[in-house]
């Protein structure tokens, strides 16, 4: 049997040896080995073979690292890169349109995704977020059901004692505005007002996770006078460079008399919290100062109850147990009306049924989903543009593909090349859009600062970016690459008119059609939303709100003094006080139920109640339909003024209503006047029965008509003089009322921005396409001109197609908008009526922009001198 | 003689051997020939490297051929001297001879 040379050595040789030399070297080595076998014997021959192999391991024999199989691919990619790079620069216009369009789309998509994540992430950072529920209350009234995100205060303590199997129960009250005073360690006195003070019991930090800077999370809320500060409030109290540990135990006075002891400092609460606070104060103080609400079971004064259930399956079981058990505490009437439900923590922000906390906002899930869809559509439009332009350009590469194929490129190789090349564009756009969105996020935050929004990139979003990028690359690169790589080489090299009339054109047309349909949907929708918003802002509310400034009245007994001091200055003529402006703002309304005195108390109907004074009606230009105004400001009410809706609800004409006796929860009185209906709720809602009464309770707001800056200064001076212990703040009523349409304004602005972007992208695509088509047909245009075609004819010839496409798009877009906008408008009680001109205006705007682009572009081509385009022929 | 045309001692030896072996010059035969004619053990790898270098310099050229049953059926890389190579060897020989002539002649007769 023949002895083979050592395998390992052979393999080693094969690995390192230059391929061109391997055959002869290996042959020589084996020949030597065979001779050695006969002359030295097996063992020595093998040893000599190994030694010889090792001797060959030297420069000149060892292959270099170029020219191996793996690295050959690297070379190929370098080639792709070079060709791709050259192509990007050769077609500067198309490349920049591609990059600009795609990066815009991706940026919008990224920002919206971050926004979406932020909005659905409300309070989701807590470890027990998925097991935490808010107790909500439904109250069945005679003609409607009321939904409360808050519950009666004693509920939490009762659940805690009666349901030992519920893992955790906690209770919060607020947020409230409170005044604080303290003395710093150096004796400096500090006074400040905190807008967001939440009173909570000792379990609160166990249910919600905070980032503790100092203090013990477990026991911080245990002391009866505990207060936990957020970092920014702590800085307000103790200055910038305070010692984080030394301030523990420091005393802060609540409203100037209750000493609170600082028991912990936490990082600022993220803005996407349902119940944000600057200070968390022990619930005991709330109990002490509000003995009635905190023990009352039938009222609802803004207490929030959270429960934690380790076992999520028990949610429904607990709900039914609570509803069986509640009769232990509620009176019979309340027991029938009130039912409790558990609402998962993650739904609090997006379920608009229960309303938001004062100063907060809610965004419904459907709006969030819509914005996400819109963003994805914009990305899609950008991708469609990209595909459109790249496939349109494909024919310019036909020859290259033909030659590559003729010299042996396989389809898969070409596919790789074009995918690589197109990915380069996509990656440049992605990089650009990451930079862009980073900067734009600040702008967005600024823009939405009224919501206190804090959007930011974080590491977790990297996965989001990768996902978006991946999807973008896959969708936008594959199709054009397939088109490019599948040219038939024979056709490509012989027939120049390869793709100008191929299947790509109809696809391009339908993509353009799709784009322009979306563009028109957005533009028309934006017009309608804008008009509705304008309607909200301009619709006559039934009272005048111009130049009205609202200020708080901290102390009821100084009202008369305040009024008289103010009017001493000639620039202030009218002053009125009351519980609030005619239209309910900032979710603050007084409510009551009303009935005839002889009716059962349970038959009460809901009414909105307003405390006013004798000046109120003239101040707001509210007209009396019958009867008279109040004659004097009284301590106890004995007269009512009601609105028209109220009279109608009792089937009275305004005159019949006069002198009727009415009973409300607070007592009985006679109707002395009926006023014309004014919008006592924002325009999303109906006008409800309203009772105006003249009483000395709840006169917490003062309204001043201010005609000039001097008046405003005077107001501030007087106020500060009369209420030295409080902090001055004022707001214009018009601005405050606008906030009621905040969400609608937000949607409008969103749509405005989105539709501008969509138009921009659509135009970019159209421009690129036209630029390319006219370039490709330069010769054709030249020949046409030589044959006698006029500029107008040529322009017509080129832009006709796009004008037709835009018109078809309008026909598709209009019914879509009609359907969705109709649904949206139906959610408001007072809304504009859709009319045909809104649609036509939208269609017109888009057609003008779209066709002017195609006309300008074709005009440029048509005006060129045919000599220039034909002289090479 | 330019720098590239300069040959080392071993290079000259190999070049000469290729010339001698005529149509049968490849790695193993050269090793054997050197052993036979000069009684000198040289390693196969040194021979290969040198031959490649000479080929690069243009004094040798190679061609593949002569697959035999030995050596696993692999082809041999045969080397052939080029005209430049021949001229170089000739030149070197002449140069040596002319130098040798300048050396004081031994006179055995005296």
């Amino acid at each position: 049997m023949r002895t083979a040379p050592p395998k390992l050595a052979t393999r080693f040789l094969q690995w390192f040896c230059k391929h061109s030399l391997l055959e002869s070297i290996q042959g020589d080595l084996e020949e030597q080995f065979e001779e050695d076998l006969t002359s030295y014997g097996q063992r020595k021959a093998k040893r000599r073979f190994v030694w010889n192999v090792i001797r060959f391991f030297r420069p000149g024999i060892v292959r270099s690292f170029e020219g191996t199989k793996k690295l050959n691919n690297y070379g190929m990619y370098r080639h792709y890169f070079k060709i791709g790079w050259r192509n990007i620069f050769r077609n500067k216009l198309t490349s920049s349109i591609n990059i600009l369009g795609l990066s815009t789309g991706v940026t919008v998509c990224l920002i919206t995704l971050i926004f979406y994540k932020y909005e659905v992430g409300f309070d989701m950072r807590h470890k027990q977020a998925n097991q935490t529920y808010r107790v909500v209350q439904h109250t069945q009234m005679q003609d409607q059901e009321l939904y409360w995100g808050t519950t009666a205060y004693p509920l939490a303590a009762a659940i805690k004692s009666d349901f030992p199997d519920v893992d955790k129960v906690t209770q919060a009250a607020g947020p409230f505005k409170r005044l604080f005073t303290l003395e710093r360690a150096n004796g400096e006195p500090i006074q400040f007002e905190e807008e967001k003070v939440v009173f909570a019991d000792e379990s609160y930090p166990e249910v919600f996770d905070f980032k503790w800077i100092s203090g013990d999370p477990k026991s911080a809320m245990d002391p009866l006078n505990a207060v936990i500060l957020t970092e920014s409030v702590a800085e307000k109290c103790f200055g910038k460079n305070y010692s984080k540990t030394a301030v523990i135990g420091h005393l802060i006075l609540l409203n100037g008399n209750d000493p609170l002891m600082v028991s912990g400092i936490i990082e600022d609460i993220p803005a996407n919290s349902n119940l944000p606070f600057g200070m968390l104060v022990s619930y005991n103080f709330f109990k002490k100062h509000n003995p009635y609400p905190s023990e009352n079971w039938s009222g609802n004064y803004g207490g929030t109850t959270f429960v934690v259930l380790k076992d999520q399956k028990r949610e429904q079981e607990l709900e039914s147990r609570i509803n069986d058990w509640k009769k232990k505490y509620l009176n019979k009437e309340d027991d029938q009306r009130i039912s409790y439900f558990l609402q998962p923590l993650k739904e609090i922000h997006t379920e608009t049924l229960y309303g938001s906390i004062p100063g907060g906002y809610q965004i419904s899930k459907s709006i969030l989903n819509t914005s996400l869809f819109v963003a994805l559509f914009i990305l899609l439009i950008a991708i469609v543009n990209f595909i459109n332009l790249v496939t349109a350009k494909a024919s310019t590469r036909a020859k290259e593909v033909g030659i590559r194929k003729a010299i042996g490129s396989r389809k898969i190789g070409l596919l790789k090349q074009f995918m690589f090349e197109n990915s380069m564009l996509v990656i440049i756009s992605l990089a650009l859009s990451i930079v862009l969105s980073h900067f734009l996020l600040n702008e967005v935050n600024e823009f939405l600062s009224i919501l206190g929004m804090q959007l930011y990139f974080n590491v977790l979003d990297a996965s989001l970016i990768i996902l978006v990028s991946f999807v973008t690359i896959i969708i936008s690169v594959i199709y054009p690459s397939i088109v490019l790589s599948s040219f038939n080489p024979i056709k490509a090299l012989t027939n120049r008119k390869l793709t100008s009339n191929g299947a790509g054109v109809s696809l391009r047309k339908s993509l353009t059609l799709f784009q322009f349909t979306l563009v028109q949907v957005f533009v028309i929708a934006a017009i309608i939303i804008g008009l509705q918003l304008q309607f909200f802002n301009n619709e006559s509310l039934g009272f005048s709100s111009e130049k009205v400034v609202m200020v708080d009245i901290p102390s009821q007994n100084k009202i008369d003094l305040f009024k008289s001091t103010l009017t001493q200055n000639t620039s202030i003529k009218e002053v009125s006080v009351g519980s609030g402006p005619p239209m309910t703002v900032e979710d603050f309304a007084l409510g009551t139920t009303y009935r005839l005195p002889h009716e059962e108390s349970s038959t009460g109907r809901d009414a909105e109640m307003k405390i006013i004074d004798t000046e109120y009606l003239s101040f707001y230009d509210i007209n009396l339909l019958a009867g008279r105004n109040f004659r004097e400001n009284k301590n106890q009410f004995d007269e009512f003024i009601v609105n028209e809706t109220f009279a109608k609800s009792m089937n009275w004409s305004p005159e019949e209503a006069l002198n009727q006796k009415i009973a409300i929860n607070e007592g009985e009185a006679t109707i002395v006047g009926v006023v014309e209906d004014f919008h006592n709720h924002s325009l999303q809602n109906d006008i409800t029965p309203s009772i105006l009464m003249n009483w000395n309770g709840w006169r917490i707001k003062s309204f001043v008509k201010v005609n000039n800056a001097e008046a405003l200064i005077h107001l501030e001076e007087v106020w500060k003089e009369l209420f030295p212990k409080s902090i001055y703040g004022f707001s214009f009523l018009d601005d405050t009322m606008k906030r009621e349409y905040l969400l609608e304004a937000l949607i409008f602005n969103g749509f405005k921005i989105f539709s501008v972007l969509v138009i921009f992208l659509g135009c970019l695509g159209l421009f690129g396409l036209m630029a390319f088509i006219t370039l490709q047909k330069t010769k054709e245009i030249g020949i046409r001109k030589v044959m006698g075609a006029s500029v107008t004819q040529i322009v017509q010839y080129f832009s006709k197609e796009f004008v037709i496409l835009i018109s078809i798009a309008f026909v598709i877009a209009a019914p879509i908008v009609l359907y969705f906008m109709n649904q949206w408008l139906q959610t408001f009680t007072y809304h504009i009526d859709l009319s045909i001109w809104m649609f036509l205006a939208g269609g017109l705007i888009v057609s003008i922009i779209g066709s002017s682009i195609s006309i300008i572009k074709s005009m440029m081509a048509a005006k060129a001198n045919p000599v220039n385009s034909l002289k090479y022929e | 003689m330019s720098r590239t045309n300069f040959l080392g001692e071993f290079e000259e030896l190999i070049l000469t051997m290729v010339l001698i072996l005529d149509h049968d010059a490849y790695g193993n035969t050269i090793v054997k020939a050197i052993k036979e004619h000069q009684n000198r053990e040289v390693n196969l790898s040194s021979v290969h490297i040198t031959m490649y270098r000479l080929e690069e310099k243009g004094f040798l050229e190679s061609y593949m051929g002569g697959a035999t049953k030995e050596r696993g059926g692999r082809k041999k890389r045969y080397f052939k001297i080029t005209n430049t190579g021949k001229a170089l060897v000739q030149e070197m020989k002449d140069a040596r001879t002319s130098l040798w002539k300048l050396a004081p002649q031994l006179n055995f007769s005296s």
Side-chain angles (χ1 to χ4, degrees):
Chain A
M1 204 188 83
R2 238 182 99 236
T3 316
K7 260 203 185 117
L8 198 67
T10 320
R11 292 253 300 271
F12 177 59
L13 178 76
Q14 281 166 347
W15 176 71
F16 72 74
C17 185
K18 272 183 188 162
H19 290 283
S20 55
L21 303 179
L22 181 64
E23 169 115 9
S24 60
I25 290 175
Q26 204 178 344
D28 283 4
L29 278 170
E30 275 182 35
E31 192 179 326
Q32 178 92 52
F33 177 71
E34 278 157 21
E35 273 170 34
D36 287 349
L37 270 182
T38 45
S39 45
Y40 300 111
Q42 226 186 66
R43 283 182 62 180
K44 195 167 181 193
K46 279 190 180 174
R47 219 165 45 229
R48 278 174 66 99
F49 183 85
V50 173
W51 177 238
N52 279 335
V53 167
I54 292 170
R55 287 291 298 269
F56 266 105
F57 189 75
R58 54 191 284 179
I61 304 290
V62 175
R63 66 175 164 83
S64 87
F65 283 102
E66 280 193 45
T68 68
K69 186 165 184 272
K70 188 175 154 205
L71 298 165
N72 241 332
N73 277 346
Y74 164 73
M76 213 56 219
Y77 283 116
R78 261 179 46 174
H79 168 76
Y80 295 160
F81 183 77
K82 191 177 260 172
I83 298 288
W85 197 248
R86 283 178 187 168
N87 264 310
I88 291 177
F89 279 94
R90 187 172 303 148
N91 309 304
K92 287 196 187 71
L93 180 71
T94 344
S95 309
S96 40
I97 287 180
N98 269 337
I99 291 172
L100 193 63
L102 207 53
S103 50
T104 312
V106 174
T107 308
V108 170
C109 196
L110 271 182
I111 289 183
T112 315
L113 274 174
I114 292 172
F115 168 76
Y116 181 86
K117 238 185 90 195
Y118 173 88
E119 289 296 334
V120 299
F122 263 64
D123 271 339
M124 292 317 282
R125 64 188 165 279
H126 303 297
K127 263 193 233 93
Q128 306 171 81
N130 285 321
Q131 292 135 28
T132 308
Y133 298 85
R134 178 171 77 163
V135 182
V136 293
Q137 176 185 331
H138 294 194
T139 311
Q140 185 61 53
M141 305 302 279
Q142 199 169 33
D143 45 1
Q144 62 171 332
E145 193 166 15
L146 297 180
Y147 305 97
W148 303 84
T150 51
T151 49
Y153 282 109
L155 180 69
I159 291 179
K160 197 177 263 181
S161 66
D162 292 4
F163 293 93
D165 55 325
V166 172
D167 296 287
K168 276 163 199 164
V169 183
T170 189
Q171 159 95 63
F176 300 113
K177 193 152 84 173
R178 290 286 187 270
L179 187 72
F180 294 92
T181 44
L182 76 150
E183 216 170 75
R184 282 189 185 162
N186 57 12
E188 186 189 346
I190 300 287
Q191 183 185 38
F192 67 96
E193 196 173 47
E194 173 54 41
E195 301 260 349
K196 290 175 189 151
V197 179
V198 165
F199 294 90
D201 62 17
E202 68 284 354
S203 323
Y204 204 73
E206 290 166 27
V207 175
F208 299 104
D209 304 318
F210 304 116
K211 291 190 177 128
W212 291 82
I213 290 168
S214 59
D216 175 23
K218 287 213 177 76
S219 59
M221 285 303 276
D222 289 348
L224 292 177
N225 58 349
V227 58
I228 293 172
L229 309 179
T230 56
E231 245 183 327
S232 53
V233 171
E235 265 179 28
K236 237 192 273 179
C237 295
F238 307 110
K240 274 243 173 303
N241 301 311
Y242 63 95
S243 150
K244 311 264 194 264
T245 45
V247 298
I248 299 289
H250 202 99
L251 290 185
I252 297 177
L253 292 183
L254 167 67
N255 288 337
N257 44 40
D258 289 316
L260 306 177
M261 190 193 74
V262 177
S263 63
I265 292 171
I266 57 176
E267 276 180 25
D268 280 0
I269 309 292
N272 56 349
S273 302
N274 289 304
L275 202 58
F277 59 84
M279 298 171 89
L280 195 66
V281 181
S282 174
Y283 185 61
N284 298 305
F285 286 99
F286 182 77
K287 243 174 161 170
K288 181 179 157 197
H289 292 287
N290 305 277
Y292 178 71
S294 61
E295 293 305 326
N296 184 328
W297 274 90
S298 55
N300 196 320
Y301 300 88
T304 314
T305 309
F306 295 99
V307 298
V308 177
L309 287 179
K310 285 272 158 57
D311 180 5
Q312 276 166 275
K313 287 177 201 122
R314 287 181 42 212
E315 179 192 342
Q316 295 206 336
E317 175 224 318
L318 185 69
E319 250 173 26
S320 62
R321 272 168 65 200
I322 287 178
N323 283 319
D324 286 342
W325 152 90
K326 66 184 194 284
K327 60 178 173 280
K328 183 171 166 192
Y329 297 96
L330 296 173
N331 62 37
K332 204 173 166 214
E333 190 188 320
D334 282 340
D335 184 38
Q336 279 167 0
R337 291 192 307 163
I338 294 174
S339 42
Y340 294 112
F341 295 94
L342 298 182
Q343 179 191 33
L345 189 65
K346 66 171 174 227
E347 286 173 16
I348 294 179
H349 184 62
T350 51
E351 174 55 80
T352 49
L353 191 61
Y354 302 103
S356 70
I357 56 151
Y361 70 100
Q362 287 190 309
I363 288 190
S364 71
K365 198 87 190 181
S366 64
I367 289 176
L368 284 180
N369 288 339
T370 312
S371 67
L372 202 60
F373 270 122
V374 167
L376 288 178
F377 264 121
I378 286 180
L379 181 61
L380 203 60
I381 291 178
I383 292 175
V384 163
N385 261 348
F386 186 88
I387 295 177
N388 241 345
L389 281 178
V390 174
T391 43
K393 286 211 83 75
S395 52
T396 57
R397 307 288 295 275
K399 242 181 212 169
E400 182 190 333
V401 174
I403 290 169
R404 277 177 192 276
K405 279 197 172 170
I407 59 177
S409 238
R410 279 186 303 166
K411 196 173 166 181
I412 189 84
L414 283 165
L415 194 68
K416 258 196 237 163
Q417 181 193 344
F418 288 115
M419 280 175 61
F420 187 86
E421 213 171 275
N422 295 333
S423 303
M424 278 169 65
L425 276 175
V426 178
I427 286 165
I428 294 174
S429 330
L430 286 171
L432 195 64
S433 68
I434 289 172
V435 176
L436 258 179
S437 29
H438 180 74
F439 288 109
L440 275 178
L441 275 181
N442 288 330
E443 299 296 313
V444 174
N445 285 339
E446 195 107 317
F447 179 67
L448 299 174
S449 58
I450 192 156
L451 305 181
M453 193 158 292
Q454 295 165 359
L455 301 179
Y456 50 87
F457 260 129
N458 64 27
V459 191
L460 292 174
D461 294 328
S463 58
L464 217 64
I465 296 167
I466 290 169
L467 184 78
V468 171
S469 318
F470 192 69
V471 171
T472 314
I473 290 181
I474 293 287
I475 303 179
S476 53
V477 160
I478 283 188
Y479 176 75
S481 307
I482 290 174
V483 169
L484 274 164
S485 59
S486 55
F487 286 129
N488 182 333
I490 297 174
K491 276 190 188 163
L493 290 175
T494 53
N495 182 4
R496 285 188 191 182
K497 293 268 163 95
L498 181 71
T499 50
S500 52
N501 292 314
V505 175
S506 62
L507 178 94
R508 223 147 56 216
K509 268 186 192 165
S510 32
L511 288 181
T512 315
L513 183 68
F514 165 74
Q515 242 180 10
F516 273 89
T517 310
L518 276 183
V519 171
Q520 304 204 37
V521 166
F522 275 95
V523 173
I524 300 170
I527 289 176
I528 294 172
I529 296 170
L531 286 171
Q532 174 66 25
L533 199 66
Q534 204 186 9
F535 170 81
F536 277 153
N537 289 330
N538 295 349
E539 170 70 356
S540 162
L541 296 168
F543 62 93
S544 74
S545 55
E546 226 177 313
K547 294 177 185 163
V548 175
V549 167
M550 276 200 304
V551 290
D552 286 349
I553 299 215
S555 161
Q556 302 275 313
N557 45 29
K558 284 183 182 165
I559 288 177
D560 290 333
L561 183 62
F562 179 64
K563 275 187 182 174
S564 58
T565 331
L566 267 185
T567 42
Q568 272 166 19
N569 189 307
T570 49
S571 58
I572 294 177
K573 295 224 170 56
E574 290 178 86
V575 182
S576 171
V577 292
S579 59
M583 189 179 103
T584 304
V585 291
E586 292 165 341
D587 289 319
F588 178 81
L590 299 174
T592 187
T593 60
Y594 64 94
R595 60 198 151 82
L596 294 171
H598 58 81
E599 284 177 320
E600 286 271 328
S601 65
S602 60
T603 59
R605 275 162 267 211
D606 281 303
E608 189 249 327
M609 181 169 79
K610 242 184 252 303
I611 316 296
I612 65 170
D613 63 357
T614 48
E615 285 86 14
Y616 195 88
L617 293 184
S618 63
F619 184 91
Y620 281 112
D621 285 332
I622 297 172
N623 297 327
L624 277 165
L625 289 174
R628 56 169 175 84
N629 191 3
F630 299 120
R631 292 216 171 95
E632 54 183 328
N633 295 329
K634 293 175 183 169
N635 280 344
Q636 290 301 321
F637 61 91
D638 53 2
E639 294 171 340
F640 287 147
I641 293 177
V642 296
N643 67 354
E644 231 182 315
T645 308
F646 182 99
K648 271 184 207 144
S649 75
M650 300 299 280
N651 289 322
W652 293 329
S653 73
E655 287 73 23
E656 284 167 356
L658 294 180
N659 300 320
Q660 298 276 3
K661 271 205 179 269
I662 290 295
I664 60 170
N665 294 355
E666 287 75 9
E668 264 182 50
T670 315
I671 297 176
V672 296
V674 177
V675 291
E676 217 177 312
D677 269 345
F678 54 88
H679 282 279
N680 59 349
H681 296 288
S682 59
L683 292 166
Q684 293 99 326
N685 307 301
D686 269 323
I687 295 175
T688 58
S690 177
I691 299 170
L692 309 176
M693 50 200 276
N694 184 355
W695 190 23
N696 77 341
W698 287 105
R699 284 197 181 120
I700 50 171
K701 297 265 180 194
S702 171
F703 315 102
V704 184
K705 267 203 188 133
V706 174
N707 289 315
N708 48 33
E710 190 200 332
L712 211 55
I713 295 165
H714 177 64
L715 170 65
E716 183 171 353
E717 279 169 1
V718 171
W719 197 95
K720 281 187 171 160
E721 201 184 301
L722 285 178
F723 311 111
K725 274 192 170 175
S726 306
I727 289 174
Y728 179 71
F730 74 94
S731 59
F732 280 95
L733 182 56
D734 277 339
D735 293 344
T736 317
M737 289 198 306
K738 256 188 197 151
R739 225 193 109 92
E740 298 301 308
Y741 310 116
L742 184 69
L743 192 63
E744 284 75 23
L746 206 67
I747 294 174
F748 173 62
N749 284 328
F751 254 84
K752 217 163 56 182
I753 293 171
F754 277 146
S755 46
V756 166
L757 283 172
V758 172
I759 294 176
F760 171 70
L761 285 176
C763 292
L764 215 57
L766 191 62
F767 182 79
L769 217 53
M770 280 306 291
F772 174 73
I773 289 174
T774 46
L775 183 77
Q776 213 186 19
K777 297 200 171 168
T778 319
K779 264 181 199 151
E780 186 184 329
I781 296 169
I783 293 170
R784 277 173 190 275
K785 280 192 89 171
V786 169
M787 303 303 260
S790 69
V791 172
T792 337
Q793 280 170 323
I794 292 172
V795 169
Q796 263 176 13
Y797 169 73
F798 278 109
S799 45
K800 196 175 66 194
E801 186 184 320
F802 287 100
V803 176
I804 292 174
L805 277 181
I806 292 173
S807 315
I808 298 174
F810 176 73
V811 175
I812 303 174
I816 299 175
V817 185
L818 183 69
Y819 175 75
F820 284 106
M821 282 296 108
N822 215 11
Q823 287 214 323
W824 184 70
L825 288 176
Q826 292 310 322
T827 59
F828 308 121
T829 315
Y830 300 92
H831 58 82
I832 52 168
D833 293 318
L834 289 177
S835 69
I836 187 88
W837 69 264
M838 298 170 190
F839 290 83
L840 290 181
L844 201 66
I845 290 174
V846 176
S847 339
I848 287 173
I849 297 176
S851 34
S852 55
I853 282 179
S854 62
I855 287 171
I856 288 169
K857 210 57 216 174
S858 52
M859 188 98 90
M860 274 155 68
K863 278 202 165 168
N865 191 340
V867 170
N868 291 330
S869 56
L870 293 177
K871 66 182 169 193
Y872 299 106
E873 204 70 356
Chain B
M1 221 191 274
S2 70
R3 185 74 185 84
T4 47
N5 284 352
F6 176 79
L7 283 189
E9 179 267 339
F10 195 63
E11 283 175 321
E12 192 191 339
L13 176 65
I14 300 286
L15 200 58
T16 323
M17 282 304 168
V18 173
L19 187 65
I20 293 167
L21 286 168
D22 199 12
H23 284 296
D24 196 28
Y26 68 96
N28 298 66
T29 49
I30 288 170
V31 173
K32 263 187 249 162
I34 292 173
K35 170 103 170 117
E36 192 184 322
H37 298 297
Q38 298 227 313
N39 197 23
R40 181 173 163 188
E41 290 269 2
V42 292
N43 191 277
L44 188 61
S45 65
S46 334
V47 174
H48 269 266
I49 288 285
T50 314
M51 288 195 300
Y52 298 141
R53 200 183 307 136
L54 287 170
E55 189 178 11
E56 221 168 86
K57 286 179 179 176
F59 303 130
L60 289 180
E61 55 189 17
S62 70
Y63 58 95
M64 301 296 287
T68 54
K69 237 184 162 186
E70 295 90 39
R71 46 190 286 143
R74 289 189 175 77
K75 284 184 186 168
K76 296 164 186 164
R77 183 181 291 272
Y78 285 113
F79 285 88
K80 215 178 92 186
I81 196 156
T82 60
N83 288 338
T84 349
K86 261 184 207 157
L88 183 69
V89 181
Q90 186 69 48
E91 196 185 317
M92 285 176 81
K93 187 186 159 255
D94 291 348
R96 202 165 290 144
T97 318
S98 59
L99 281 176
W100 191 245
K101 277 183 186 151
L102 294 178
Q105 296 294 310
L106 288 172
N107 192 345
F108 294 105
S109 55
S110 64

